[in-house]
Amino acid sequence: MSALFQEAAQSIDLAAIRTAKQNGMPVVGLTCSFAPVEIFYAAGIVPVRLRGIHTESLAIGDAYYGPFVCTFPKALLQQAGSGFYDFLDGAVITSGCDGMRRLDECWRKMGSDIEGTLPRWFTLFDVPHKPDGVALSWYESRIRKLMAAIEERFHVTITIEALEKAIRDQNMIREKIWELGVLRSQDPVFITGTEAFEALIARTVLPSDVYLDALTSLVDEVKNRTEPVSLGKKRLFVTGSICDDVDLFRQIEEKGAVVVGESVCYGMRNSCDTVREDQDPVTALAEHYLSGSICPRMFGYYPMRRDAILDMVKTAKADGVIMQNIRFCDLHGSENGLLEKDLEKEGIPALRIEKEYGTLTEKGRLRMRFDAFLEQLKSGDT
């Protein structure tokens, strides 16, 4: 199953997705984890998270964005303009931050300039910056509006029964992901952070039935492994900006460490708990996706996020934390500064790095930083 996850971590245009399309299932791209995948599965649609992997140039992205913008939305626009998303039947842009909100405008403009680069169905899904009160009611109304738009565009009906089944299916996946997290927190560890991260990224692009079967097989296999991967290695935790960069994890582990947990979008962050199955499914989805406040876009909830990260770091028995953020990511860049001080108060060593998105990262500089951090951790043992 590792081969399937490796492929999924390196591409979003997969055989499993092509097969789904051949079987009559449309494919819709999503830019953010705040868009509930359950409503798409309930409509018979495969949702895939858009990624800018393999981006080597930002010639198109730079033409529509200014210079002081995170390279993640630029990379998405570059891929769209280069034809890598031509298999999509639609795309949903979510206002995760200002850069991602502007992706809606920039992609529409590019679509008018470069024929064929704008999906036939293209919409903005707005999300409030607070998780309760009026904001929660408004968010639920946005979900219902998105469902209505899906029904109209794809000529389907999203039934309560289909929503309830989709919720149950995703809850089973979340529970299996937790099981993987428990295995990673053990000492010794029998799965590398790189392999585990590939499996987590794969969740965002593989159809849910294919993914659950593959993840179950991986968890069962790890339980039966007899060769630990962590003996004599420092245990590290990674947090910060949106990250689907398997090479970042591989770089860390090539230096003699093992990544035992992470709190990044595409990782464990979005599997904090299950969706309630004993209430109206749309209300349950709204409460689940909004109430966690796990992203720094949610205003005023840093203490909650800090406590959650500290709990994950301690549960994983991590020796240190690597905080990464994409250059010009104001949200994570600012929050990492706060978190660095709070980790220091807890006596937890931390390394704070700033980089570009994915393949645009200058890797030589990071290798030196990782080397120095691990030397610091080792010297603390003497």
Side-chain angles (χ1 to χ4, degrees):
M1 289 303 139
S2 293
L4 175 63
F5 290 155
Q6 287 172 5
E7 180 189 10
Q10 296 169 5
S11 176
I12 63 171
D13 189 3
L14 303 171
I17 294 176
R18 295 285 183 180
T19 298
K21 283 180 67 71
Q22 291 171 1
N23 292 334
M25 295 185 71
V27 177
V28 170
L30 310 179
T31 63
C32 182
S33 58
F34 278 103
V37 297
E38 287 87 348
I39 65 175
F40 295 93
Y41 281 116
I45 295 170
V46 178
V48 299
R49 283 290 298 276
L50 299 182
R51 294 151 57 208
I53 51 177
H54 307 312
T55 301
E56 296 181 356
S57 165
L58 289 178
I60 297 174
D62 284 339
Y64 293 91
Y65 275 103
F68 305 113
V69 177
C70 159
T71 44
F72 178 64
K74 286 185 179 184
L76 295 187
L77 195 63
Q78 182 73 32
Q79 295 292 76
S82 302
F84 285 98
Y85 300 152
D86 63 353
F87 63 93
L88 294 178
D89 298 291
V92 178
I93 310 300
T94 302
S95 55
C97 63
D98 284 345
M100 294 304 295
R101 179 193 59 77
R102 285 199 58 227
L103 181 61
D104 175 73
E105 304 162 1
C106 293
W107 198 338
R108 290 179 190 275
K109 179 63 174 71
M110 182 189 67
S112 67
D113 296 335
I114 307 176
E115 186 177 353
T117 58
L118 189 72
R120 288 170 290 177
W121 183 63
F122 191 83
T123 190
L124 177 68
F125 178 64
D126 213 352
V127 178
H129 291 272
K130 298 283 284 186
D132 47 26
V134 173
L136 181 58
S137 300
W138 181 66
Y139 177 63
E140 181 176 339
S141 75
R142 295 301 88 188
I143 294 176
R144 295 186 186 279
K145 181 178 180 180
L146 180 60
M147 290 170 56
I150 291 171
E151 290 179 322
E152 179 180 0
R153 173 62 186 85
F154 294 100
H155 309 293
V156 297
T157 299
I158 301 175
T159 66
I160 295 295
E161 292 76 18
L163 266 181
E164 291 174 340
K165 180 183 184 305
I167 288 172
R168 289 194 300 270
D169 290 345
Q170 292 302 313
N171 279 345
M172 286 191 289
I173 288 174
R174 292 181 180 105
E175 290 168 355
K176 194 58 64 173
I177 287 175
W178 297 345
E179 200 171 343
L180 180 63
V182 170
L183 292 173
R184 296 175 70 189
S185 69
Q186 293 177 349
D187 191 9
V189 183
F190 291 87
I191 181 171
T192 66
T194 302
E195 186 181 5
F197 195 47
E198 287 174 338
L200 293 171
I201 293 173
R203 179 194 181 190
T204 68
V205 288
L206 288 174
S208 60
D209 55 343
V210 174
Y211 179 70
L212 180 59
D213 289 344
L215 182 62
T216 300
S217 296
L218 175 64
V219 169
D220 291 342
E221 180 197 339
V222 173
K223 288 178 179 178
N224 292 318
R225 290 179 182 176
T226 58
E227 295 290 333
V229 300
S230 61
L231 295 181
K233 297 179 179 181
K234 291 298 180 181
R235 302 165 63 96
L236 298 180
F237 187 91
V238 177
T239 187
S241 283
I242 191 166
C243 179
D244 62 344
D245 187 359
V246 176
D247 280 343
L248 178 69
F249 281 59
R250 188 174 291 112
Q251 272 189 286
I252 295 170
E253 297 192 315
E254 284 174 349
K255 294 301 178 182
V258 58
V259 178
V260 292
E262 72 285 313
S263 177
V264 296
C265 204
Y266 294 107
M268 290 287 291
R269 175 189 289 174
N270 300 311
S271 298
C272 297
D273 53 20
T274 54
V275 179
R276 288 182 58 179
E277 300 180 15
D278 60 348
Q279 63 180 126
D280 175 80
V282 180
T283 301
L285 288 171
E287 292 179 353
H288 170 80
Y289 278 87
L290 199 63
S291 64
S293 301
I294 53 177
C295 177
R297 75 178 299 283
M298 304 304 285
F299 175 71
Y301 282 79
Y302 168 70
M304 178 187 295
R305 290 189 289 273
R306 175 202 60 207
D307 292 346
I309 290 173
L310 286 173
D311 181 63
M312 286 187 282
V313 169
K314 293 174 181 178
T315 298
K317 308 177 189 68
D319 299 300
V321 175
I322 293 178
M323 300 172 294
Q324 55 82 35
N325 69 269
I326 301 174
R327 187 171 288 115
F328 302 123
C329 178
D330 294 335
L331 295 174
H332 282 285
S334 300
E335 196 142 294
N336 281 352
L338 297 173
L339 182 60
E340 185 177 26
K341 295 180 184 296
D342 287 325
L343 289 170
E344 182 180 344
K345 292 176 184 176
E346 295 287 329
I348 301 172
L351 171 66
R352 187 178 172 191
I353 61 174
E354 186 177 67
K355 63 182 188 63
E356 299 295 358
Y357 168 73
T359 54
L360 302 168
T361 299
E362 198 285 296
K363 299 187 184 300
R365 177 178 61 86
L366 291 187
R367 280 193 290 268
M368 290 189 291
R369 299 289 305 279
F370 296 149
D371 269 333
F373 185 54
L374 286 171
E375 286 298 322
Q376 173 191 339
L377 294 180
K378 292 173 183 175
S379 66
D381 293 339
T382 60

